[in-house]
């Protein structure tokens, strides 16, 4: 029993212990007060562990970066490595920085050294290569704004970077840069390092090193510079092209110099008075450039300028990151194309530009936006007088219409190409807008108005779409307005405050050929650093417009290069589209056109500083020079036939018109084909031959939307048999072998499957005479036929009893077109002022012919009319005279623009030219496209 009690007691103790052990963990799970302390301890341990790991990893990374850093090479420290530029075929275009005049730091005035130190590295003499105070601020900026947003490079670090490293903003490069900067400070004095820096920098104007720059800008050695000049030079390395006091923006140049002067004042190296004097002194008074060497002509300055600007603006590099580091720049320049374009314009190989005129052009790849070739001008000049006309903005004239009128309408309102607008009096800011042609042409499609470049429909389109939609559409296509511009309806026809340059226009039109994707025009494809690392262009496509907008504009612009358009002589064997543009007095004449693989814009004109007495271009080819240059470039500089533009699935067609899928099918109104007028016949019975002639209003044809016309001539012989005589593309056709009796001729005009109303005339051939040919008309007719020479004066008097029966005779085959001819012959008198007058030129028959039109044609007998036909051969002459004057289509002013003739010049339309301005800045309506 005792053992049992003891056993039970032990079992109870054991059970209690087990119970206690199982209850304690439950208290921890409930989150009691005693559980917080250990958790923080664990978190602290984890954080400490991570810190140690990061330190070890960081140390290892730093050790690796240092181990792989390049060795200090004194030759690289002291030499400025040249910048090399290559064309797309890897041919070197330009070599920069190959000539440099090295200068000792002893020759550099203290005030100049102070300028550089004040703006670049104020604690240069205090740090050991790394400015930790400046580094701290940069770290905070990089944390808040992203890595690489702000640098903390000292002058020592900049020397290292320019000599050995790329400009990539990576941790590895920064570690290497700092390590090498410390080593450089250990091996060289501060003065030696500053000397390296001043001689390595690029200062613009082909100037590497401060001595070369001093002579380039001030025409004197560096030891003669004062503090204001030193401040200007100290500001240049950051952005040499932008701050260039000769070719850069004067406001930017002065602003940068002021920054340096303020820094010098802060560090105490100049007084407030000196600072103010330096700020007040104009840059133009400060510089005195040295004459340029003739060797500079061998360099392709326009490409170098574009590369320099793109390295700064697109790649975000500062000048000190670019020059003297041995960069290799691989560009998109098509060297053969670029050279050909420059030769053609600079040497007048395509057109003969007047001495006072200028020209510029840019070609870009339609699909990539890469610049293939560029022409800065015929005579861009050198040195301080050098200009880049391909970079300068020019008024675009009607080449703005696709982007400031019809494009926004299609994009935002889904207009079809059959959208109807009325060419009529239109007012902008209290002024009536006119066209380059006289008057207005009624109602038609936007396709037709863009094709013939009418002004008032474009203005009306802008007014319907609105300012914001138009400005946004143009900006997305690369045609952004300046901050000081306020858009207005005049912009629809190119009446702008500033305008655009040839590169902007070429890339905007490339957007249309690229399905609506805009790609910022760029020239750099790849950058290669001296260490072998590479960076590709960051430029990417952006959606500017829907594909239906791009294609519908392209399809309408195809018509510009066809008969009836403003560049009908293009006659290209491949698919292309484009637009003309002209401003008042031909001060600006454009053609911007594109294929599926290249977009080229050409500008010709005069400038503010080189006007033709402020009159613009003059001469018979003023309106076609840009067109002819463009055609030459697009046909001779590409080695393959471009593919046709592809119609996207978002576009549907009805007849020749297009509309957006999902919208209501447009009603396509086919306007009537105008009928011929003034149909006349001349026929010589002896030779049994003659011709029909008529007039035609080509202007009315084009106004109704037709490009070309042909004429079908049919005849009804004396037996009533009808047949087609033939078809003519001119205003005349020969006739022969007519049977005796009355033959009726009918002419209709045909265009695009449509046909005009008919116009008719008759010719009556006398029957073969019998033995008694004159029995019916005894002797009354004989006198008239016997005295042909004097018949007008003498025989006409006696025959006054039958006054007009003799004269009407056949003379008036034209009068046989009873009522239809009378009115129609009246109409041409306005179109062809000289065609109705020929009858008064007939020497001997002028009196009769003036009587003859009167009325008697219906009453004359066939016989009597037959005889006079032979007696009055002169009646045939009016018909033959008239054709000669009818042939030309000079009645159509638009045709002059199409053919390139100068009849529609400013001299012919001063009134319209003035009306064309939408505001004070707006040029006249488009001229002679």
């Amino acid at each position: 029993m005792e053992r049992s009690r003891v056993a039970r007691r032990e079992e109870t103790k054991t059970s209690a212990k087990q119970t206690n052990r199982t209850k304690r963990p439950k208290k921890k799970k409930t989150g009691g007060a005693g559980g917080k302390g250990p958790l923080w301890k664990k978190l602290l341990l984890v954080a400490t562990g991570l810190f140690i790991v990061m330190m070890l990893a960081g140390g290892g990374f730093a050790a690796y970066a240092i181990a792989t850093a390049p060795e200090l090479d004194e030759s690289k420290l002291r030499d400025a490595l040249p910048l090399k530029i290559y064309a797309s075929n890897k041919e070197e275009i330009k070599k920069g920085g190959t000539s440099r005049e090295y200068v000792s730091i002893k020759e550099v005035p203290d005030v100049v050294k102070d300028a550089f130190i004040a703006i670049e590295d104020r604690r240069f003499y205090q740090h050991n290569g790394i400015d930790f105070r400046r580094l701290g601020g940069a770290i905070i900026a990089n944390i808040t704004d992203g890595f690489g947003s702000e640098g903390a490079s000292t002058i020592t670090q900049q020397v290292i970077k320019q000599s050995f490293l790329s400009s990539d903003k990576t941790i590895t490069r920064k570690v290497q840069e700092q390590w090498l900067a410390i080593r450089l400070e250990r091996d060289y004095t501060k003065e030696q390092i500053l000397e390296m820096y001043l001689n390595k920098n690029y200062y613009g104007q082909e100037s590497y090193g401060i001595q070369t720059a001093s002579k380039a800008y001030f025409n004197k050695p560096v030891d003669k510079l004062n503090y204001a000049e030193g401040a200007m030079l100290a500001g240049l390395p950051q952005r040499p092209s932008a701050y260039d006091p000769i070719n850069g923006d004067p406001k930017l140049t002065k602003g940068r110099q002021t920054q340096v002067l303020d820094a010098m004042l802060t560090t105490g190296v100049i007084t407030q008075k000196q600072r103010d004097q330096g700020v007040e002194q104009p840059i133009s008074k400060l510089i005195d450039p040295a004459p340029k060497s003739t060797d500079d002509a061998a360099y392709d300055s326009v490409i170098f300028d574009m590369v320099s600007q793109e390295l700064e603006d697109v790649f975000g590099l500062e000048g000190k990151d670019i020059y003297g580091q041995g960069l290799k720049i691989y560009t998109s320049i098509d060297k053969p194309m670029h050279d050909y374009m420059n030769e053609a314009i600079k040497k007048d190989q395509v057109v003969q530009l007047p001495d006072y005129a200028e020209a510029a052009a840019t070609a870009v790849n339609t699909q990539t936006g890469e610049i293939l070739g560029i022409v800065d001008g015929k005579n861009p000049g050198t040195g301080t007088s050098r200009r880049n006309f391909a970079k300068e903005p020019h008024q675009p004239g009607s080449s703005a219409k696709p982007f400031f009128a019809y494009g926004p309408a299609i994009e935002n309102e889904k207009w079809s190409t059959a959208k109807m607008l009325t060419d009529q009096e239109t007012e902008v800011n209290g002024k009536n807008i006119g066209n380059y042609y006289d008057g207005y042409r009624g109602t038609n499609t936007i396709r037709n108005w863009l094709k013939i470049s009418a002004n008032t429909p474009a203005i009306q389109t802008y007014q319907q779409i609105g300012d914001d939609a138009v400005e946004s559409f143009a900006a997305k296509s690369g045609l952004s307005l300046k901050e000081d511009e306020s858009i207005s309806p005049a912009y629809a026809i190119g009446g702008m405050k500033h305008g655009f340059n040839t590169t902007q226009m070429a890339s905007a039109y490339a957007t249309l050929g690229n399905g609506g994707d805009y790609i910022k025009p760029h020239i750099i494809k790849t950058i290669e650093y001296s260490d072998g690392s590479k960076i590709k262009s960051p430029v990417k496509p952006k959606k500017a417009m829907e594909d239906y907008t791009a294609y519908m504009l392209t399809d309408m612009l195809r018509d510009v290069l066809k008969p009836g358009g403003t560049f009908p002589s293009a006659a290209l064997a491949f698919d292309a589209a484009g637009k003309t543009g002209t401003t008042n007095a031909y001060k600006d004449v454009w053609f911007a056109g594109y294929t599926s693989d290249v977009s080229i814009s050409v500008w010709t004109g005069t400038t503010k500083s080189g006007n033709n007495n402020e009159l613009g271009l003059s001469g018979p080819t003023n309106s076609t020079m840009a067109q002819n240059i463009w055609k030459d470039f697009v046909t001779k500089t590409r080695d393959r036939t471009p593919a046709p533009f592809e119609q996207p699935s978002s576009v549907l067609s009805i007849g020749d018109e297009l509309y957006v899928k999902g919208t209501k099918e447009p009603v396509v109104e086919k306007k009537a084909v105008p009928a011929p007028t003034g149909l006349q016949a001349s026929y010589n019975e002896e030779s049994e031959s003659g011709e029909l002639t008529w007039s035609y209003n080509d202007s009315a044809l084009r106004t109704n939307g037709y490009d070309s016309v042909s004429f079908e001539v049919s005849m009804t012989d004396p037996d009533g048999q009808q047949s087609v005589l033939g078809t003519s593309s001119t205003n005349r056709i020969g006739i022969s072998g007519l049977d005796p009796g009355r033959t009726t001729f009918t002419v209709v005009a045909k265009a695009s499957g449509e046909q005009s109303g008919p116009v008719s005339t008759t010719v009556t051939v006398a029957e073969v005479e019998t033995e008694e040919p004159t029995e019916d008309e005894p002797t009354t007719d004989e006198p008239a036929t016997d005295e042909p020479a004097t018949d007008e004066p003498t025989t006409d008097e006696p025959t006054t009893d039958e006054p007009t029966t003799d004269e009407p005779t056949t003379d008036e085959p034209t009068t046989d077109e009873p009522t239809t001819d009378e009115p129609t012959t009246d109409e041409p008198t306005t179109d062809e002022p000289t065609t109705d007058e020929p009858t008064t030129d007939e020497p001997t028959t002028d009196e009769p012919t003036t009587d003859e039109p009167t009325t008697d044609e219906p009453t004359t007998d066939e016989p009597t009319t037959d005889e006079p036909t032979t007696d009055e051969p002169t009646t045939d002459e009016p018909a033959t005279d008239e054709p000669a004057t009818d042939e030309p289509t000079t009645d159509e002013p638009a045709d002059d623009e199409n053919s390139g003739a100068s009849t529609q010049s400013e001299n012919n339309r001063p009134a319209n030219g003035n009306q064309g301005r939408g505001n004070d800045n707006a040029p006249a309506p488009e001229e002679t496209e």
Side-chain angles (χ1 to χ4, degrees):
M1 292 291 287
E2 186 66 22
R3 291 178 60 189
S4 181
R5 284 197 297 269
V6 171
R8 283 199 299 270
R9 201 161 35 244
E10 290 297 322
E11 289 175 359
T12 302
K13 289 180 180 178
T14 303
S15 177
K17 289 179 180 179
Q18 289 176 345
T19 302
N20 289 337
R21 281 199 296 268
T22 58
K23 286 182 179 178
R24 285 187 191 119
K26 289 182 180 178
K27 288 184 179 180
K28 288 185 178 181
K29 288 180 181 179
T30 61
K36 290 185 179 180
L39 179 62
W40 282 108
K41 288 181 181 179
K42 288 183 178 180
L43 291 175
L44 182 61
L45 286 173
V46 170
T48 303
L50 288 173
F51 178 76
I52 293 172
V53 169
M54 291 177 63
M55 289 295 293
L56 292 173
F61 176 80
Y64 170 78
I66 292 172
T68 56
E71 292 294 323
L72 294 181
D73 183 336
E74 186 167 351
S75 63
K76 290 184 178 180
L77 287 168
R78 296 190 177 278
D79 291 340
L81 304 179
L83 175 72
K84 295 183 178 182
I85 301 175
Y86 299 89
S88 59
N89 61 358
K90 303 300 189 292
E91 178 182 345
E92 186 172 355
I93 296 176
K94 182 179 181 62
K95 186 180 293 183
T98 53
S99 60
R100 176 181 61 128
E101 188 174 347
Y102 199 93
V103 64
S104 168
I105 193 66
K106 296 178 182 178
E107 298 179 50
V108 181
D110 287 343
V111 71
V112 175
K113 292 187 286 186
D114 291 339
F116 281 88
I117 291 172
I119 196 65
E120 291 293 341
D121 188 0
R122 294 182 187 180
R123 286 175 289 278
F124 174 67
Y125 289 108
Q126 285 77 48
H127 63 65
N128 66 341
I130 302 173
D131 186 345
F132 288 100
R133 190 187 308 179
R134 189 175 179 185
L135 180 61
I139 291 173
I140 294 174
N142 288 328
I143 292 173
T144 57
D145 300 329
F147 181 74
S149 60
E150 183 177 322
S153 295
T154 61
I155 285 177
T156 309
Q157 289 174 274
Q158 290 181 44
V159 170
I160 291 295
K161 184 167 59 177
Q162 289 177 329
S163 303
F164 305 108
L165 304 174
S166 73
S167 296
D168 287 346
K169 293 180 178 180
T170 62
I171 296 176
T172 301
R173 189 195 62 76
K174 289 301 295 183
V175 171
Q176 291 176 339
E177 178 186 297
Q178 292 169 357
W179 165 250
L180 292 175
I182 294 172
R183 287 190 57 193
L184 186 65
E185 291 270 356
R186 185 186 64 190
D187 295 344
Y188 295 89
T189 67
K190 289 286 186 181
E191 292 297 295
Q192 289 174 319
I193 293 171
L194 186 59
E195 179 181 302
M196 296 172 189
Y197 176 74
L198 295 177
N199 281 284
K200 266 186 174 295
N201 281 332
Y202 177 72
Y203 299 85
Q205 291 294 309
E206 309 294 341
S207 302
Y208 283 82
I210 194 169
Q211 181 77 292
T212 314
S214 178
K215 294 180 179 180
Y217 291 114
F218 310 113
N219 200 18
K220 58 185 177 182
V222 67
D223 62 356
K224 303 296 182 183
L225 294 179
N226 60 38
Y227 74 93
E229 295 163 339
M232 195 200 79
L233 290 182
L236 289 175
Q238 187 184 58
R239 296 184 65 194
S241 60
Y243 299 145
D244 186 336
I246 295 177
N247 294 326
D249 186 330
K251 292 181 180 179
L252 289 178
T253 304
K254 173 53 71 174
R256 180 60 175 166
Q257 184 204 32
T258 301
Q259 283 182 332
V260 179
L261 291 169
D262 288 340
M264 294 174 73
L265 177 63
T266 300
T267 55
V269 295
I270 60 171
T271 65
Q272 182 70 48
K273 182 178 180 180
Q274 287 176 311
R275 180 265 178 199
D276 294 341
Q277 288 176 340
V279 170
E280 292 169 3
Q281 187 176 19
I283 292 293
S284 60
K285 299 292 184 182
L286 191 65
I287 63 170
D288 179 24
K292 284 283 186 179
S293 167
T294 55
D295 293 340
D296 289 341
Y299 294 114
D300 199 331
S301 298
V302 66
I303 292 179
F304 182 77
D305 291 346
M306 293 187 74
V307 165
S308 299
Q309 184 171 351
E310 198 167 305
L311 287 169
E312 296 175 14
D313 297 345
V314 177
F315 287 83
L317 302 180
E318 294 183 350
K320 53 195 175 186
D321 299 329
I322 299 169
Y323 308 99
Q325 298 191 60
L327 297 186
K328 294 179 180 179
I329 310 298
Y330 295 94
T331 74
S332 56
I333 289 293
D334 182 327
K335 193 67 164 57
M337 182 180 192
H338 175 79
D339 291 346
Y340 179 86
M341 290 170 60
N342 277 271
E343 290 285 314
I345 286 181
K346 295 179 188 297
K347 296 184 179 180
D348 288 332
Q349 292 178 347
V350 180
V351 300
Q352 184 70 44
L353 281 165
D355 292 339
Y356 59 80
E358 265 301 342
T362 303
V364 304
N365 185 309
T366 305
Q367 304 300 318
T368 66
E370 294 171 341
I371 296 172
L372 304 174
I374 189 164
V375 184
D376 54 354
K378 178 184 177 182
N379 297 299
T382 58
T384 56
S385 62
R386 178 176 166 243
R387 299 177 66 175
N388 184 347
F389 295 101
K391 186 178 180 181
E392 294 182 11
H394 310 284
Q395 292 280 344
S398 287
S399 61
K401 289 173 181 174
F403 303 97
F404 288 85
Y406 302 114
I410 296 173
E411 179 78 2
N412 293 283
E413 300 298 328
K414 294 183 171 62
W415 281 10
S416 73
T417 61
K419 172 72 174 179
M420 304 298 287
L421 294 175
T422 302
D423 181 14
Q424 59 188 355
E425 187 172 300
T426 303
E427 187 178 284
V428 174
N429 298 333
K431 296 180 180 179
N432 286 331
I433 300 299
N435 295 300
Y436 65 88
Y437 49 79
D438 292 332
Y440 306 100
R441 295 186 177 179
T443 301
N444 216 313
T445 63
I446 61 171
R447 176 187 291 277
N448 179 70
W449 296 138
L450 183 57
K451 170 184 170 182
I452 70 171
S453 201
N455 286 335
T456 68
I459 293 287
Q460 295 168 36
T461 298
Y462 177 103
Q463 291 171 330
Q464 291 187 47
I465 302 305
D467 298 343
D468 293 341
V470 171
E471 185 171 1
S472 174
F473 182 89
K476 289 177 182 177
S477 303
L479 302 179
S480 299
L481 304 184
K482 303 292 184 184
E483 292 183 0
D484 62 345
E485 284 186 278
S486 179
I487 196 169
S488 74
Y491 278 59
I493 58 175
M496 302 178 180
K497 183 173 183 179
H498 297 296
F500 305 105
N501 61 42
T502 58
T503 303
Q504 290 173 300
M505 294 297 286
S507 62
Y509 276 89
T511 303
L512 304 183
N514 193 28
D517 288 343
Y518 169 74
I519 306 176
K520 184 176 182 179
H522 55 287
I523 194 171
I524 299 175
K525 299 181 75 171
T526 307
I527 299 174
E528 182 178 339
Y529 289 95
S530 58
D531 63 358
S533 60
K534 296 180 180 181
I535 300 177
K536 291 185 178 181
S537 174
V539 176
K540 302 295 181 184
K542 294 182 179 180
K543 196 66 178 175
M545 64 188 77
E546 297 296 334
D547 59 0
Y548 59 75
T549 305
Y551 183 77
M552 290 167 69
L553 282 172
T554 293
D555 193 57
M556 292 193 290
L557 292 171
R558 282 167 164 155
D559 291 352
V560 171
L561 283 68
K562 297 177 181 178
T566 52
F567 186 15
S569 60
L572 300 177
F574 47 83
D575 199 6
K579 186 70 187 74
T580 47
T582 314
T583 61
N584 276 344
Y586 303 108
K587 290 181 180 178
D588 304 281
V589 181
W590 289 81
F591 192 82
Y594 56 102
T595 67
S596 61
D597 69 347
V598 65
S599 177
I600 303 174
S601 70
V602 178
W603 168 84
T604 59
T606 57
T607 63
K608 291 180 180 179
S609 62
N611 284 352
N612 178 23
N613 295 321
E614 298 188 355
L615 295 179
L617 297 175
S618 61
T621 59
N622 51 9
S623 67
T624 59
M625 288 191 292
Q627 298 173 18
N628 292 333
I629 293 172
W630 179 88
K631 179 179 178 180
D632 184 77
F633 287 175
V634 81
T635 54
K636 293 183 180 179
T637 59
R638 308 301 284 162
D639 58 2
R640 65 185 183 87
T641 300
F645 300 111
E646 293 186 12
Q647 181 171 328
S649 60
S650 60
V651 177
L652 301 178
S653 60
I654 175 171
D656 294 332
E657 303 296 351
L658 304 176
Y659 64 101
V660 180
K661 184 178 181 180
T663 62
K664 185 178 179 181
E665 182 178 290
V667 176
V668 179
E669 298 181 10
K670 272 289 185 182
K671 290 200 169 186
V673 178
T677 59
L679 177 62
Q680 296 193 36
S682 62
Y683 189 73
N684 187 303
E685 292 188 31
E686 291 184 5
S687 63
E688 296 187 349
S689 63
E691 69 176 352
L692 301 174
T693 59
W694 57 90
S695 302
Y696 199 71
N697 191 335
D698 292 293
S699 172
L701 178 78
R702 286 193 292 272
T703 296
N704 285 0
Y706 297 99
D707 292 334
S708 58
V709 66
S710 61
F711 304 96
E712 183 179 276
V713 183
S714 58
M715 59 182 287
T716 303
D717 65 19
D719 295 331
Q721 297 295 317
Q722 295 182 350
S723 62
V724 174
L725 179 63
T727 301
S728 174
S729 59
T730 64
N731 292 20
R732 64 180 65 227
I733 193 170
I735 55 177
S736 61
L738 301 185
D739 295 335
R742 181 183 294 244
T743 301
T744 301
F745 294 97
T746 302
V747 180
V748 295
K750 290 189 172 184
S752 299
E754 302 295 321
Q755 180 172 303
S756 74
V759 59
S760 302
T761 189
T762 62
V763 173
T764 302
V765 176
E767 298 286 346
V768 178
E769 294 185 2
T770 63
E771 299 108 21
E772 303 174 318
T774 57
E775 281 184 1
D776 291 337
E777 298 287 349
T779 55
T780 56
D781 288 332
E782 303 299 330
T785 60
D786 288 340
E787 300 172 15
T790 59
D791 48 359
E792 310 304 334
T794 58
T795 63
D796 277 341
E797 307 296 317
T799 58
T800 56
D801 15 46
E802 321 179 355
T804 56
T805 58
D806 275 357
E807 307 206 68
T809 53
T810 86
D811 320 53
E812 284 10 75
T814 57
T815 62
D816 280 331
E817 327 156 1
T819 56
T820 60
D821 256 4
E822 291 273 348
T824 54
T825 54
D826 289 338
E827 291 171 27
T829 57
T830 60
D831 296 332
E832 304 173 84
T834 58
T835 58
D836 288 335
E837 309 307 82
T839 54
T840 63
D841 295 333
E842 302 303 313
T844 58
T845 62
D846 43 7
E847 307 305 275
T849 52
T850 57
D851 294 335
E852 74 186 37
T854 54
T855 56
D856 300 317
E857 21 107 41
T859 62
T860 61
D861 295 328
E862 309 264 47
T864 56
T865 62
D866 297 337
E867 294 193 13
T869 23
T870 59
D871 283 294
E872 301 282 331
T874 55
T875 61
D876 296 333
E877 296 175 279
T880 58
D881 275 22
E882 201 163 83
T885 56
D886 289 340
E887 275 276 15
T889 54
T890 54
D891 53 334
E892 170 41 68
D895 205 30
D896 296 332
E897 79 179 20
N898 300 341
S899 64
S902 62
T903 54
Q904 195 61 30
S905 67
E906 287 304 302
N907 296 331
N908 291 338
R909 55 167 208 73
N912 283 340
N914 294 332
Q915 289 175 348
R917 292 183 179 273
N919 57 29
D920 293 338
N921 297 315
E926 177 123 358
E927 324 259 61
T928 334
E929 302 272 10

